[in-house]
Amino acid sequence: MSRRLKVAAAQMGPIHLADSKASAVKRMMTMLRQAADAGCRFVVFPELALTTFFPRWWMADQAEIDRFFEAQMPSPETMPLFELAREKKVGFYLGYAELTEDGGRTRRFNTSILVGPDGRIIGKYRKVHLPGHSDHLPQAPFQHLEKRYFEVGDLGFNVWRMFDEDVVMGQCICNDRRWPETFRVMGLQGVEMVALGYNTPTDNIYFHEPPYRRVFHHLLSVQANAYQNGTWIVATAKAGKEDGFGMYGASVIVAPTGEIAAQAMSEADEVIMFDCDLSLGESIRQNVFNFARHRRPEHYRLITERAGAEPPPPTRK
Amino acid sequence: MSRRLKVAAAQMGPIHLADSKASAVKRMMTMLRQAADAGCRFVVFPELALTTFFPRWWMADQAEIDRFFEAQMPSPETMPLFELAREKKVGFYLGYAELTEDGGRTRRFNTSILVGPDGRIIGKYRKVHLPGHSDHLPQAPFQHLEKRYFEVGDLGFNVWRMFDEDVVMGQCICNDRRWPETFRVMGLQGVEMVALGYNTPTDNIYFHEPPYRRVFHHLLSVQANAYQNGTWIVATAKAGKEDGFGMYGASVIVAPTGEIAAQAMSEADEVIMFDCDLSLGESIRQNVFNFARHRRPEHYRLITERAGAEPPPPTRK
């Protein structure tokens, strides 16, 4: 059986407030067709790929907020994407805002799914590391209200066998990619490829940070997490200026060596592809990052015992 | 009180088998004097800084092995370094092979110490992530016998307040720098600067890997671990060809942004310095890596429950 998987990151340019979900799906279908025609078997779309990045807007009316959510998946608007993928025998990753009823309680998550080449949803993930804030910051140039509009994900970091069970696939979303914990939990399940979508503002609303440094942090995190777990990572942005608010692109396909195999060059709809050798990660996972030989969990206990940092108190002064 | 600390990485060129410990100490004293005269208050020397990187040699005779170890610290050979540091009011980090008697049992560790500007040893670390192997690999161009000559460290990853208790300082050694666990455990103790020494062969004895990629992995790991914990890292190599066996240099002082503030340009004795703004990490630790706000230890349990990777079994095929 082949240990290669040709994949695509289907970066999306801006989706404005006025744009319909159907128009976003149409753009995704164009890119999926392009990827399939080039021989790709897996396409990664962005986080919250059906609408504008709505957490930048303060909204008090729950009905207004819920317009950005999906109560079922496939939804009427996304069904054509599922059908095209099944026709083309291409699997995909899709991020969307999930609204679900759970024991009489309405819950909302920032969610992604893995869809097999047969069109079946085979795995769901709900974002754990929600960035931003839950209160209104009227003095900020824009909001980042993920902590208001979503609950913290309750499904953990899992992996799934895809493509005739040949590939151990993981998934996460946006800010999760900065956290080594995200990838180590998947690494400990033998992950070989991680799909992730993101929407990251070009500017930091909390403190001044030059935009080049923010792109550097994105790349540094994804590259290090790939290397330190010997896994491929396919990281796909929604990018460009949505109603005037900039988000950087820099979608990348990163090898298990931590090297960038392909990188988007625009902030628009753009498909990048790479024919990934899945055995490339094995030499890393069997040597420098042979976890069983080298890891010492008895010295890692603080990682799970403590959420926040606790510096030692000064003993004098 | 100043929140700046000017520091030096005192990279060492080769120490050959025939070189004495006293000659290595003399070279360190020359560099410490250079750093002190330039206003540095802290100097980081390499791992196993007193001798050649002896784990590359297979030795069966324990007395021959123990010549590379120190049964006390300061030892007669290192005492002049401690005295000079006290005179110059400079703290330092030093790596050495430690031999200790513990309840009638002789134990050996790959050890580093933090020494205050008053010449007192204030912290000890024993290397946790020992790379390499314990058996003889006669077909390899050289050995990497850390798993034979040392026990796994038993002290964990700690931090200490240094410099009038103003700086939360951590330490680790060589291969530890590749592991996000190392830095997260220190980050959860509010670390602001990590000192680390290393000896890393230019060639991989396990599988083919171009040397440029090995230096990239070193930099990627140190830069990502700095950023993901908002800490300064001072990483100091022993470099160059020891009796013909190459080790890369690339000693670096890395900022809490993950950016390289200073980098050595040789594989010889070379002092690099940087005047570190300790407040630079605070904006990172209070925002994107505000652990208390964003970390979710309930989803990290595998990190401490499991040492090795366990892929999900295939359900069919």
Side-chain angles (χ1 to χ4, degrees):
Chain A
M1 176 163 293
S2 165
R3 290 291 288 154
R4 296 190 87 90
L5 184 71
K6 188 166 181 181
V7 304
Q11 177 175 288
M12 299 183 75
I15 302 177
H16 304 295
L17 263 176
D19 293 340
S20 69
K21 292 176 184 175
S23 71
V25 170
K26 198 171 164 194
R27 288 160 58 185
M28 285 190 261
M29 290 171 67
T30 299
M31 293 197 283
L32 187 141
R33 200 174 277 115
Q34 182 186 339
D37 290 351
C40 292
R41 295 194 287 148
F42 186 55
V43 179
V44 177
F45 295 110
E47 173 195 33
L48 299 173
L50 300 173
T51 70
T52 197
F53 186 67
F54 63 90
R56 78 167 62 88
W57 304 103
W58 173 262
M59 296 175 279
D61 174 9
Q62 192 62 55
E64 185 186 358
I65 298 166
D66 284 348
R67 286 187 303 121
F68 297 97
F69 282 73
E70 310 306 313
Q72 62 187 92
M73 187 57 61
S75 56
E77 292 94 341
T78 55
M79 189 62 86
L81 177 66
F82 281 74
E83 285 168 356
L84 177 66
R86 184 169 53 239
E87 176 198 324
K88 295 287 189 183
K89 297 187 176 58
V90 168
F92 66 92
Y93 162 106
L94 175 70
Y96 65 99
E98 177 191 11
L99 187 151
T100 185
E101 298 297 327
D102 183 5
R105 186 160 66 99
T106 302
R107 308 184 67 184
R108 296 170 185 81
F109 298 99
N110 188 340
T111 294
S112 62
I113 46 171
L114 293 174
V115 179
D118 59 358
R120 281 188 314 118
I121 295 174
I122 60 173
K124 178 184 282 191
Y125 169 73
R126 291 167 169 167
K127 187 172 180 178
V128 165
H129 297 102
L130 296 173
H133 51 98
S134 53
D135 45 337
H136 191 197
L137 301 177
Q139 77 287 6
F142 54 89
Q143 310 294 302
H144 201 127
L145 291 161
E146 291 194 55
K147 284 197 193 291
R148 175 177 169 82
Y149 296 144
F150 303 113
E151 285 184 57
V152 171
D154 60 350
L155 301 176
F157 301 103
N158 300 302
V159 302
W160 297 265
R161 288 191 174 272
M162 284 185 79
F163 302 104
D164 292 324
E165 306 216 347
D166 189 44
V167 183
V168 180
M169 185 75 73
Q171 57 180 330
C172 63
I173 301 177
C174 195
N175 184 43
D176 290 321
R177 75 195 187 284
R178 303 183 193 274
W179 298 84
E181 291 90 342
T182 300
F183 290 85
R184 185 60 97 229
V185 172
M186 290 190 275
L188 286 164
Q189 299 169 80
V191 77
E192 296 178 301
M193 180 175 285
V194 177
L196 79 92
Y198 60 98
N199 286 260
T200 306
T202 305
D203 295 309
N204 185 337
I205 60 173
Y206 294 105
F207 61 97
H208 175 68
E209 204 176 40
Y212 75 83
R213 189 178 286 164
R214 289 172 62 74
V215 176
F216 167 67
H217 287 163
H218 153 64
L219 296 175
L220 178 64
S221 299
V222 175
Q223 292 182 263
N225 283 319
Y227 166 57
Q228 290 167 337
N229 295 282
T231 182
W232 288 90
I233 299 180
V234 184
T236 306
K238 184 142 59 65
K241 289 208 166 188
E242 290 186 337
D243 295 301
F245 298 97
M247 296 182 297
Y248 62 71
S251 298
V252 278
I253 300 171
V254 174
T257 61
E259 291 166 298
I260 295 171
Q263 178 168 342
M265 288 294 127
S266 76
E267 292 185 349
D269 287 12
E270 178 180 354
V271 181
I272 58 171
M273 309 179 198
F274 201 81
D275 187 15
C276 303
D277 176 0
L278 294 165
S279 68
L280 192 56
E282 283 167 21
S283 56
I284 289 176
R285 297 197 301 273
Q286 288 166 11
N287 290 283
V288 61
F289 291 113
N290 183 322
F291 295 161
R293 276 176 61 80
H294 301 308
R295 290 184 79 251
R296 296 289 163 180
E298 68 272 25
H299 293 304
Y300 306 156
R301 284 191 292 256
L302 277 191
I303 292 172
T304 47
E305 284 175 3
R306 182 181 284 185
E310 296 176 21
T315 55
R316 39 185 171 125
K317 89 176 171 186
Chain B
M1 175 163 291
S2 165
R3 290 292 287 158
R4 296 190 88 89
L5 184 72
K6 189 166 179 180
V7 304
Q11 177 175 288
M12 299 181 75
I15 302 177
H16 303 295
L17 263 177
D19 293 339
S20 70
K21 292 175 183 174
S23 71
V25 169
K26 198 170 163 192
R27 288 161 56 185
M28 285 190 259
M29 290 172 67
T30 299
M31 292 198 283
L32 186 141
R33 200 173 279 115
Q34 182 186 340
D37 290 351
C40 292
R41 295 195 287 150
F42 186 55
V43 179
V44 177
F45 295 109
E47 172 194 35
L48 300 173
L50 302 172
T51 70
T52 197
F53 186 67
F54 64 89
R56 79 167 62 87
W57 304 104
W58 173 261
M59 296 176 279
D61 174 9
Q62 193 61 54
E64 184 187 358
I65 298 166
D66 285 347
R67 287 186 303 119
F68 296 96
F69 281 74
E70 311 306 312
Q72 61 187 92
M73 188 56 64
S75 57
E77 291 95 341
T78 54
M79 188 62 84
L81 178 66
F82 281 74
E83 285 168 356
L84 177 65
R86 184 167 55 237
E87 176 198 324
K88 296 287 190 184
K89 298 188 174 57
V90 168
F92 66 91
Y93 162 107
L94 175 70
Y96 64 98
E98 178 191 11
L99 186 152
T100 187
E101 298 297 327
D102 183 3
R105 186 160 67 100
T106 302
R107 307 184 67 182
R108 295 172 186 81
F109 297 100
N110 188 341
T111 294
S112 62
I113 47 172
L114 293 174
V115 179
D118 59 359
R120 280 189 313 120
I121 295 174
I122 60 174
K124 179 184 278 188
Y125 169 72
R126 291 166 169 167
K127 187 172 180 178
V128 165
H129 298 102
L130 296 173
H133 51 99
S134 54
D135 46 336
H136 191 197
L137 302 178
Q139 78 287 6
F142 55 90
Q143 309 294 303
H144 200 127
L145 291 162
E146 291 194 55
K147 285 198 192 288
R148 174 176 169 82
Y149 296 145
F150 303 112
E151 287 184 54
V152 171
D154 59 350
L155 302 176
F157 301 103
N158 301 301
V159 301
W160 296 266
R161 287 192 174 270
M162 283 185 82
F163 302 104
D164 292 325
E165 307 215 347
D166 190 45
V167 183
V168 181
M169 184 76 72
Q171 57 180 331
C172 64
I173 302 176
C174 194
N175 184 43
D176 289 321
R177 75 194 186 286
R178 301 182 195 275
W179 297 82
E181 291 90 342
T182 300
F183 290 84
R184 186 59 99 228
V185 172
M186 291 191 274
L188 286 164
Q189 299 169 80
V191 77
E192 296 178 301
M193 180 176 284
V194 177
L196 79 92
Y198 60 98
N199 287 259
T200 307
T202 305
D203 296 309
N204 186 338
I205 61 174
Y206 293 104
F207 60 97
H208 175 69
E209 202 177 43
Y212 75 82
R213 190 178 285 166
R214 290 172 61 76
V215 175
F216 167 68
H217 287 162
H218 152 63
L219 296 175
L220 178 64
S221 298
V222 174
Q223 293 182 264
N225 282 317
Y227 166 59
Q228 290 168 338
N229 295 281
T231 183
W232 289 88
I233 299 181
V234 185
T236 306
K238 184 140 61 64
K241 289 209 165 186
E242 291 187 336
D243 295 302
F245 299 97
M247 296 182 297
Y248 62 71
S251 298
V252 279
I253 300 171
V254 173
T257 61
E259 292 166 297
I260 294 171
Q263 179 168 340
M265 288 294 127
S266 76
E267 292 184 349
D269 288 11
E270 178 180 353
V271 182
I272 58 170
M273 309 179 199
F274 201 80
D275 187 15
C276 302
D277 177 359
L278 294 164
S279 69
L280 193 56
E282 283 166 23
S283 56
I284 289 176
R285 297 198 301 272
Q286 288 166 11
N287 291 283
V288 62
F289 290 113
N290 184 323
F291 294 161
R293 277 177 61 82
H294 301 308
R295 291 184 80 249
R296 296 290 162 179
E298 67 272 25
H299 292 304
Y300 307 156
R301 284 192 293 255
L302 276 192
I303 293 172
T304 47
E305 284 176 3
R306 181 181 286 186
E310 296 176 23
T315 53
R316 39 186 173 125
K317 89 172 171 186

